[in-house]
Amino acid sequence: MGLKILFAMRDALPPFRVDVKILFGKYLFDKGISTHLVGRSKYQNLSPVVWNAGDVSVSATDGEGIIKTFYCMLLESWFLLLYGRTADIIQVRDRIRLLPAAWLSSFLWNKPFVYWVSFPIVEGYELSWQSLKGASKLKSFAFMLRYKLANWFFYKLLPKTADLIFVQSEAMKREMASRGFSIAKMHAVPMGVDLEMFSEPVAKPHLACDDDSFVLGYLGSISKARQSDFLLDVLLAASCKIQNIKLLIIGDGVTESDRVWLREEIGSKGLQGKVEISGWMPQLEGISLLASVDVGLSPIPRGKLFDVSSPTKAVEYLACGIPCVGNDIPDQQLVINQSAAGLCVPMTVESFVSAIEILYSDKNKLHVMSVNAKNYVRNNRNYNVISHSIFKCYQNLLSVCK
């Protein structure tokens, strides 16, 4: 099946998220699906965007500003109208502003229109507007207008124009169905991993916690907004009961202020020597470090933005054979319960510490969970498996729309 998808994206190009870079750039491409990407370049110069799974049309270098945003919207709309004729499917990911152009291109060229929802953008706009404090009336009006327009386009226009909608999780599917979207038009695509990345670990650098410590691991970004000091509170409480416990953070603060804040928090809580921060490193090195920890932690604040998400962290832990202690975000709870490879608890310090104690005291349980973890990811949450489901969706869509 030779198939070409015209694919407009919100994220800067080339893609870096695995559900585009790996799913479309590798597994779907191997099945004969090429993608013509449309969007901004992440480079601040004229360096070409390399995409081996198809073509690329760049509107501008990434950046902010009303003029640049409007220019990019117009040029990307033109790309959708121009290249829609030669595509088999027109697909937009998280670009609410491009809905009119995508629908028009679909109508003019008689091509199916697919929309991919990876994040609740409208709700994000709403929170941004509501969180403004001390802003000028003009800025407040601009944020309000952005939210109102996005809300109308997404909840009024999209259900009537899209032939297929990919969503991030079953929880997102249920939420959107409650807002008037057709269940039959939606297909959940949860986050997964590329198993090939986890099968050949590279030599890991030496860290201070390479001893007989019981090591908790956290993979990813640290920030105040993510309530990342929760990890330190858990470690502090757990260290009162488990003397040889340590925390390995594979990653660092999102910004310089977050990096400074993290180290200040470690010092103020007296956790020097119990926390190791790897800093940012190549992905394969990070995976190799991750494979050396005993238990992975995945606390994700509850709320309308994250409750419909599909956290990657828990799946990455399981792919390394690491039991996960995570909180009850619906998709994360589903993964932990179905895999029998971790403990799902409320996001409280007491609940996380109790779960950690259970795993620390039962090495046989840890071993069984480790085996379960790898088996679950191998059979469910990897992009080789996920790509088959997506491939069938495209096949069914084209057969229906003929």
Side-chain angles (χ1 to χ4, degrees):
M1 177 183 182
L3 171 64
K4 184 175 182 179
I5 299 175
L6 181 61
F7 191 175
M9 294 181 53
R10 179 182 178 86
D11 293 321
L13 304 175
F16 64 93
R17 300 187 190 278
V18 290
D19 54 346
V20 178
K21 180 180 179 180
I22 300 300
L23 179 57
F24 286 89
K26 182 177 180 180
Y27 289 103
L28 288 175
F29 183 62
D30 288 344
K31 289 177 169 58
I33 298 180
S34 64
T35 45
H36 182 158
L37 300 181
V38 172
R40 297 186 183 189
S41 168
K42 73 176 182 180
Y43 305 119
Q44 295 303 317
N45 52 38
L46 297 178
S47 298
V49 173
V50 177
W51 177 244
N52 294 324
D55 304 311
V56 180
S57 292
V58 174
S59 59
T61 56
D62 201 22
E64 299 295 332
I66 295 176
I67 295 177
K68 175 173 276 191
T69 298
F70 186 68
Y71 166 79
C72 289
M73 181 184 71
L74 290 179
L75 188 54
E76 289 164 13
S77 296
W78 169 244
F79 288 150
L80 288 174
L81 292 168
L82 177 65
Y83 297 116
R85 181 178 61 84
T86 59
D88 296 293
I89 291 173
I90 297 167
Q91 180 167 296
V92 175
R93 175 183 167 110
D94 295 333
R95 292 302 305 276
I96 296 176
R97 296 186 186 107
L98 295 182
L99 274 174
W103 171 80
L104 181 58
S105 181
S106 169
F107 175 78
L108 289 176
W109 304 119
N110 193 29
K111 303 296 174 68
F113 170 41
V114 176
Y115 195 86
W116 194 297
V117 191
S118 73
F119 185 78
I121 300 293
V122 174
E123 287 70 21
Y125 285 165
E126 182 181 18
L127 289 176
S128 296
W129 170 41
Q130 293 176 345
S131 64
L132 287 178
K133 294 180 180 179
S136 66
K137 290 184 178 179
L138 181 60
K139 184 174 183 179
S140 180
F141 175 77
F143 274 59
M144 180 273 290
L145 184 62
R146 180 180 69 170
Y147 160 64
K148 294 291 185 180
L149 288 174
N151 186 71
W152 188 87
F153 277 137
F154 191 85
Y155 287 110
K156 299 298 182 182
L157 182 62
L158 181 60
K160 298 176 181 178
T161 57
D163 297 295
L164 172 66
I165 301 173
F166 289 113
V167 296
Q168 196 70 33
S169 65
E170 291 294 336
M172 181 180 280
K173 186 176 179 179
R174 291 191 295 271
E175 172 63 24
M176 289 176 60
S178 72
R179 300 288 298 270
F181 286 82
S182 167
I183 284 282
K185 283 187 177 182
M186 292 188 288
H187 183 82
V189 186
M191 297 298 290
V193 297
D194 181 7
L195 279 183
E196 293 182 10
M197 285 187 175
F198 291 81
S199 61
E200 298 179 4
V202 299
K204 65 183 181 67
H206 175 78
L207 291 177
C209 62
D210 289 345
D211 50 29
D212 62 351
S213 300
F214 186 75
V215 183
L216 306 175
Y218 177 84
L219 175 69
S221 302
I222 297 291
S223 71
K224 288 184 181 180
R226 295 170 184 261
Q227 302 177 24
S228 298
D229 51 342
F230 177 83
L231 295 166
L232 303 181
D233 292 335
V234 168
L235 176 64
L236 183 62
S239 62
C240 296
K241 301 180 179 184
I242 304 173
Q243 296 300 314
N244 63 331
I245 196 167
K246 290 184 178 180
L247 172 65
L248 171 60
I249 296 174
I250 305 171
D252 212 328
V254 175
T255 64
E256 180 60 30
S257 62
D258 284 323
R259 289 188 282 273
V260 171
W261 168 76
L262 172 62
R263 286 153 181 81
E264 288 177 347
E265 286 291 304
I266 291 171
S268 67
K269 297 178 188 295
L271 292 173
Q272 303 93 328
K274 283 190 171 293
V275 182
E276 187 81 16
I277 306 171
S278 73
W280 297 114
M281 58 175 56
Q283 189 173 23
L284 286 178
E285 290 184 22
I287 290 171
S288 294
L289 278 181
L290 182 61
S292 68
V293 310
D294 296 293
V295 172
L297 303 182
S298 185
I300 301 171
R302 296 297 303 267
K304 63 168 62 177
L305 294 186
F306 295 114
D307 278 3
V308 296
S309 68
S310 176
T312 311
K313 213 177 307 295
V315 183
E316 291 173 326
Y317 295 154
L318 268 55
C320 285
I322 301 167
C324 173
V325 174
N327 67 307
D328 49 352
I329 293 293
D331 186 66
Q332 182 163 264
Q333 185 174 33
L334 178 72
V335 167
I336 293 174
N337 290 344
Q338 283 188 345
S339 66
L343 296 174
C344 185
V345 297
M347 190 175 162
T348 66
V349 171
E350 296 77 15
S351 298
F352 265 68
V353 172
S354 295
I356 291 166
E357 281 189 282
I358 290 172
L359 298 180
Y360 174 77
S361 62
D362 192 339
K363 297 300 187 290
N364 182 61
K365 183 185 287 289
L366 272 178
H367 174 71
V368 171
M369 284 185 172
S370 178
V371 174
N372 291 344
K374 289 189 174 183
N375 287 337
Y376 178 78
V377 175
R378 186 181 303 114
N379 295 320
N380 297 277
R381 289 294 182 97
N382 69 83
Y383 282 114
N384 185 32
V385 171
I386 292 172
S387 67
H388 291 296
S389 172
I390 304 298
F391 185 74
K392 288 181 180 178
C393 282
Y394 288 135
Q395 284 184 315
N396 293 338
L397 177 64
L398 289 173
S399 64
V400 169
C401 293
K402 280 183 179 179

